[in-house]
Amino acid sequence: MISGATALSFVLICLLGAMAPGPDFLVVTRSAILGGRKAGIAAGLGIALGVFVWVVAIALGVAAILTASAIAFTVVKLIGAAYLIFLGVKAWLAVRRGDYSELKDKVAPDVAPKEAFRQGLLTNLFNPKVAMFFLALIPQFLPHSASTAQTLQLAVLATTVAVVWTFVLATLVGSLRRFFGSGRVRRTMDAVMGTFLVGLGIRVAVQN
């Protein structure tokens, strides 16, 4: 088993990594704005599942292969970049349509929890930098003769951090949803989020 001090240090570093603005942050924020707290939490759960998959992949050596292979890394990176751009263009199209009724008049949210979960999961899985982060981090917290169970323990800790942080973020943004109920505000936010997502997708695509 991982010692308490080691686990705490690992959790703190994972929390700092989770709080850094990036694709996951944008997806949770946009989901919470458009779909409310439930959609934001669903996106966070998708991200957390992605984190768990990446850490388990590291335990199985899959992430190491991905990092070692320039072709595999580039393919995953470009798929992730294309998906971010897709989400951004989708937001831009909503701005162009201009169909923004007042939130209080709407029965269904703009983003359903199921869709938000899928967006969170795909955004995380198609971000190879998540694999690089944990591939560099996890060996620092495992003994030389670490067992798979110890690696899975770190996977559970990393997943828990992702769940807790995205829950807090979704709750904070969701609590402000009434403010975002104005059609004008939501149109502005879609334009801003769309721009950030497209810009981030392009940045991911061109970075080495």
Side-chain angles (χ1 to χ4, degrees):
M1 296 294 289
I2 303 297
S3 68
T6 299
L8 180 59
S9 298
F10 179 77
V11 165
L12 290 176
I13 294 177
C14 286
L15 180 59
L16 291 175
M19 293 174 67
D24 294 346
F25 183 91
L26 289 178
V27 169
V28 172
T29 301
R30 184 170 185 271
S31 297
I33 289 174
L34 298 180
R37 178 171 170 268
K38 287 184 178 180
I41 292 174
L45 291 176
I47 290 167
L49 178 58
V51 168
F52 183 81
V53 170
W54 275 123
V55 179
V56 171
I58 289 171
L60 298 176
V62 175
I65 296 174
L66 177 65
T67 304
S69 171
I71 295 177
F73 180 87
T74 300
V75 169
V76 173
K77 181 182 72 171
L78 291 178
I79 292 175
Y83 188 67
L84 290 174
I85 292 173
F86 165 76
L87 293 178
V89 171
K90 188 176 179 181
W92 278 349
L93 291 176
V95 174
R96 183 176 180 180
R97 287 194 301 268
D99 183 20
Y100 289 94
S101 57
E102 294 297 315
L103 197 61
K104 62 183 179 181
D105 297 329
K106 294 179 70 68
V107 176
D110 290 332
V111 176
K114 184 177 180 179
E115 180 183 355
F117 177 87
R118 183 174 63 252
Q119 289 181 359
L121 176 61
L122 293 179
T123 298
N124 191 273
L125 287 181
F126 288 134
N127 185 1
K129 289 190 175 181
V130 176
M132 294 179 66
F133 173 78
F134 284 111
L135 192 60
L137 180 66
I138 287 179
Q140 313 304 320
F141 291 89
L142 289 174
H144 179 68
S145 56
S147 64
T148 301
Q150 289 173 311
T151 305
L152 291 178
Q153 184 182 353
L154 292 185
V156 171
L157 289 175
T159 304
T160 302
V161 169
V163 169
V164 172
W165 163 242
T166 52
F167 178 86
V168 171
L169 178 61
T171 300
L172 289 175
V173 176
S175 65
L176 298 174
R177 196 178 181 225
R178 181 170 297 180
F179 166 75
F180 296 111
S182 166
R184 181 177 298 178
V185 172
R186 289 165 59 222
R187 183 172 185 172
T188 301
M189 290 302 301
D190 261 346
V192 172
M193 288 289 186
T195 300
F196 271 114
L197 285 167
V198 170
L200 188 58
I202 293 174
R203 181 183 177 186
V204 168
V206 301
Q207 277 186 336
N208 295 325

